[in-house]
Amino acid sequence: MRVILFCLIMLGGLSQSANAATISAVLNLNTGASNPGQASYGPTVQDFGAIVDAGSGVGVPPSNGVNGGVVSLIPDAFVSLDANTKAHVGADARRLDPASTQNVQIYLTTYAYFQVVDANAVTSGADYSVTNRAHWDFQVNGNYNWSISDQIPQFTGAKRTFSFEKIGAGGSVLASDNVGSGGTNPSGTLGSGTYRLFYTHTNSDYAGTLLDPTGNPRGSTNLNIFFTFQSEDSSGVVPEPTSVAVFGLLGIGSAIAKWRRKK
């Protein structure tokens, strides 16, 4: 009886240490890319620098960090396209894990805009373009509802497409916006696995950039994704630590019981 009681106590402690549902989030460069964007003027194409976040690791937003957890995952970077024009890209992000829940909220703001020295020297329809692109990698353990809030691009002529995909076995596209000119709000469910949220934010309307939006000179545009916890995922074929411990403790209990009977 004491052996059984011992096993139950041990199992109770182990049940508290079993892996809970978790989600990690890292902003990465797209496959084959060495930078988060490009800018062009006519045939000349220039690259921006790599993603660097010295505060919390490359591309990783801290959970509920200082200043609301906002970090510049793609710090504002620019290249000069001509004597009058600079093209900029950037991306800010923050992660919020609401208290007393297992929910995760990821907020991303992307930038792709032009800065000019003399607005009077701007030529409407000039062949300027700037593109900002990257993707989130999510490692999910558990079952969640998800939803995406895709804000309408803030500059006239700008586009921001996205694709939310499951990677690996059984991979599929869960949601996408291939037009990029209007806000969408897709939603669905997912289980444990690897997921990616790709985005491409492009601005080529040089003249329009100078006119709108009021109070938002960099045209910051949001792309947010929210995960709402539903349940732990018990579908995996690999035993969790608690399961392994159960069989181990039962084996120990059985061995002790046999030894006591022999005595």
Side-chain angles (χ1 to χ4, degrees), residues 24-39:
S24 68
V26 182
L27 191 69
N28 287 316
L29 298 174
N30 290 345
T31 302
S34 59
N35 57 78
Q38 296 177 321

Side-chain angles (χ1 to χ4, degrees), residues 8-130:
L8 290 174
I9 293 173
M10 289 296 293
L11 287 175
L14 287 168
S15 66
Q16 298 299 315
S17 61
N19 290 337
T22 57
I23 294 178
S24 68
V26 182
L27 191 69
N28 287 316
L29 298 174
N30 290 345
T31 302
S34 59
N35 57 78
Q38 296 177 321
S40 65
Y41 176 35
T44 303
V45 179
Q46 300 183 61
D47 293 333
F48 291 95
I51 295 175
V52 177
D53 169 30
S56 60
V58 176
V60 181
S63 299
N64 307 324
V66 295
N67 299 322
V70 178
V71 292
S72 295
L73 297 184
I74 303 176
D76 183 82
F78 69 88
V79 296
S80 295
L81 298 179
D82 59 30
N84 193 51
T85 311
K86 294 178 181 179
H88 291 250
V89 295
D92 299 332
R94 67 185 177 97
R95 171 174 176 161
L96 176 64
D97 296 350
S100 302
T101 74
Q102 290 173 274
N103 300 340
V104 174
Q105 300 173 355
I106 303 291
Y107 298 85
L108 176 69
T109 302
T110 63
Y111 306 84
Y113 66 100
F114 302 105
Q115 181 182 30
V116 299
V117 176
D118 182 3
N120 294 320
V122 171
T123 302
S124 179
D127 188 16
Y128 296 91
S129 180
V130 57

Side-chain angles (χ1 to χ4, degrees), residues 8-257:
L8 290 174
I9 293 173
M10 289 296 293
L11 287 175
L14 287 168
S15 66
Q16 298 299 315
S17 61
N19 290 337
T22 57
I23 294 178
S24 68
V26 182
L27 191 69
N28 287 316
L29 298 174
N30 290 345
T31 302
S34 59
N35 57 78
Q38 296 177 321
S40 65
Y41 176 35
T44 303
V45 179
Q46 300 183 61
D47 293 333
F48 291 95
I51 295 175
V52 177
D53 169 30
S56 60
V58 176
V60 181
S63 299
N64 307 324
V66 295
N67 299 322
V70 178
V71 292
S72 295
L73 297 184
I74 303 176
D76 183 82
F78 69 88
V79 296
S80 295
L81 298 179
D82 59 30
N84 193 51
T85 311
K86 294 178 181 179
H88 291 250
V89 295
D92 299 332
R94 67 185 177 97
R95 171 174 176 161
L96 176 64
D97 296 350
S100 302
T101 74
Q102 290 173 274
N103 300 340
V104 174
Q105 300 173 355
I106 303 291
Y107 298 85
L108 176 69
T109 302
T110 63
Y111 306 84
Y113 66 100
F114 302 105
Q115 181 182 30
V116 299
V117 176
D118 182 3
N120 294 320
V122 171
T123 302
S124 179
D127 188 16
Y128 296 91
S129 180
V130 57
T131 298
N132 174 2
R133 58 176 174 265
H135 73 268
W136 285 112
D137 267 327
F138 299 110
Q139 294 294 334
V140 178
N141 175 20
N143 299 308
Y144 290 83
N145 289 339
W146 62 268
S147 63
I148 292 175
S149 178
D150 172 35
Q151 187 180 18
I152 297 173
Q154 297 297 285
F155 284 133
T156 299
K159 298 184 182 299
R160 213 254 322 270
T161 60
F162 74 85
S163 181
F164 185 43
E165 305 176 12
K166 181 176 182 180
I167 305 301
S172 62
V173 176
L174 304 182
S176 64
D177 176 6
N178 298 320
V179 177
S181 59
T184 60
N185 298 99
S187 61
T189 61
L190 54 76
S192 297
T194 300
Y195 298 85
R196 286 180 181 163
L197 176 58
F198 297 89
Y199 77 85
T200 300
H201 188 170
T202 300
N203 187 2
S204 57
D205 188 348
Y206 182 44
T209 297
L210 305 176
L211 304 176
D212 55 55
T214 302
N216 185 3
R218 298 196 298 164
S220 58
T221 303
N222 299 326
L223 178 63
N224 306 324
I225 184 167
F226 309 110
F227 299 94
T228 304
F229 173 74
Q230 298 301 301
S231 65
E232 305 289 346
D233 189 350
S234 59
S235 62
V237 295
V238 179
E240 294 190 15
T242 300
S243 300
V244 174
V246 168
F247 293 111
L249 287 173
L250 289 176
I252 293 173
S254 176
I256 293 175

